[in-house]
Amino acid sequence: MAIIKVNGINLNVDIQGEGYPLILIHGLGCDNTQWKGEVQRLSKSYKTVALDCRGHGKSDKPDSYTLNDHIQDVLSLIDRFEFTMTNLYGVSMGSYIAQGVAIKQPHRINKLILTVPKSNGLISSTRRFIQEHAKELVGLSKQEKRTFFHKHIAYNSDIFLKDPELLKSSLTPQQTAIANRALEGFDYLSELHKITAETLVISGKYDELNPPCEGKLCASLIPNATFIEMLYSGHIPMAEEPENYNRIIDKFLSK
């Protein structure tokens, strides 16, 4: 782990392995420990750079920031490490950041992986889900709300019983609210054509946060993109179908 100062804040970055660079960007409320299994595998072939996005993990947590701040942080890390080009891999919120990076500096991104993405949104997917199910959530305990949420974002929600740490956030309610606000009102639909990287888009069939239609739309607007729908997954295909998912990722990166 290393603390690197960019754009006036300290980012926690985990760097492992040698070889062609691969930057990994986690989802909302998570941190770079989300990538533990992926880094263990991928760092055998690549130089993996897994950051805690601002407002998350061990990175600084400003009182306010934007999606563009996240994008600029990644671009600054690319400059700091003097990567001429890099592979970029984002999950959920990380896929929004990765799209923004690949749009702003397409010549710097070689291969782009977008897992459970969307390319526009008035509010974060989590907040939208809560609003859409507000009546059903009334009167439920915190644990009951979590169980309800899990049933709508996974093929088999028992996966959360087997691994209670999946998607578990360490953020306070205030920090979570700030992180959600950063994702409000973005729209890449008219700019995705600028992405020149070979792109892999993966969605889970049972994902109600960022459903497959969002991934299909994203892939359809990127010139050199392939879309794959995981048939037995929701929002966390890397945990729900790990062997198949890893095979898809490894094949894409190695070809």
Side-chain angles (χ1 to χ4, degrees):
M1 297 287 184
I3 298 296
I4 299 175
K5 189 161 189 176
V6 297
N7 304 321
I9 68 163
N10 294 307
L11 291 181
N12 182 50
V13 183
D14 179 35
I15 307 160
Q16 296 191 37
E18 298 293 337
Y20 199 89
L22 172 62
I23 298 176
L24 304 101
I25 315 174
H26 61 76
L28 179 69
C30 299
D31 53 44
N32 64 22
T33 61
Q34 171 187 355
W35 296 108
K36 184 178 179 181
E38 291 279 88
V39 165
Q40 186 176 12
R41 189 180 87 260
L42 293 170
S43 62
K44 296 175 182 177
S45 303
Y46 305 93
K47 182 174 186 175
T48 59
V49 179
L51 69 148
D52 286 346
C53 295
R54 64 169 62 205
H56 294 73
K58 296 178 181 177
S59 292
D60 286 349
K61 299 177 177 62
D63 292 335
S64 178
Y65 52 89
T66 66
L67 179 56
N68 190 60
D69 289 327
H70 286 309
I71 293 167
Q72 293 301 325
D73 289 342
V74 175
L75 289 171
S76 295
L77 286 178
I78 293 173
D79 290 338
R80 177 67 64 88
F81 291 116
E82 299 182 341
F83 294 152
T84 303
M85 294 187 75
T86 182
N87 293 332
L88 194 56
Y89 179 0
V91 172
S92 195
M93 178 188 80
S95 75
Y96 318 158
I97 299 169
Q99 289 172 74
V101 171
I103 288 169
K104 282 185 177 292
Q105 293 193 9
H107 61 287
R108 307 290 294 277
I109 309 304
N110 178 41
K111 291 191 175 183
L112 178 65
I113 301 173
L114 306 173
T115 296
V116 294
K118 66 178 182 180
S119 297
N120 69 316
L122 293 175
I123 56 177
S124 76
S125 297
T126 302
R127 286 189 60 197
R128 174 187 53 75
F129 178 89
I130 292 171
Q131 289 181 7
E132 290 177 352
H133 295 278
K135 291 182 179 179
E136 297 160 275
L137 294 169
V138 171
L140 298 185
S141 67
K142 187 175 181 180
Q143 181 56 49
E144 288 171 335
K145 289 178 180 178
R146 186 178 293 114
T147 299
F148 180 89
F149 180 67
H150 289 165
K151 287 182 178 179
H152 286 264
I153 66 165
Y155 169 69
N156 184 350
S157 61
D158 285 350
I159 191 171
F160 292 99
L161 298 176
K162 297 175 182 176
D163 186 355
E165 297 302 309
L166 280 176
L167 301 185
K168 188 173 182 180
S169 175
S170 61
L171 303 185
T172 67
Q174 181 181 8
Q175 290 166 349
T176 299
I178 293 169
N180 273 284
R181 283 198 294 272
L183 305 182
E184 292 179 352
F186 77 97
D187 190 342
Y188 296 137
L189 296 179
S190 65
E191 297 185 282
L192 289 175
H193 70 277
K194 297 177 183 178
I195 296 176
T196 58
E198 184 180 0
T199 303
L200 174 64
V201 180
I202 300 175
S203 294
K205 181 176 181 178
Y206 295 89
D207 184 5
E208 292 188 31
L209 278 185
N210 290 339
C213 61
E214 298 283 4
K216 289 178 183 177
L217 177 60
C218 176
S220 73
L221 296 172
I222 297 174
N224 188 17
T226 299
F227 174 75
I228 294 178
E229 181 176 326
M230 306 288 289
L231 299 180
Y232 303 99
S233 293
H235 199 65
I236 43 174
M238 65 288 296
E240 295 179 86
E241 296 182 72
E243 292 184 5
N244 189 23
Y245 182 85
N246 290 345
R247 186 164 51 248
I248 291 168
I249 296 294
D250 292 345
K251 180 180 179 180
F252 174 73
L253 287 174
S254 63
K255 67 180 181 180

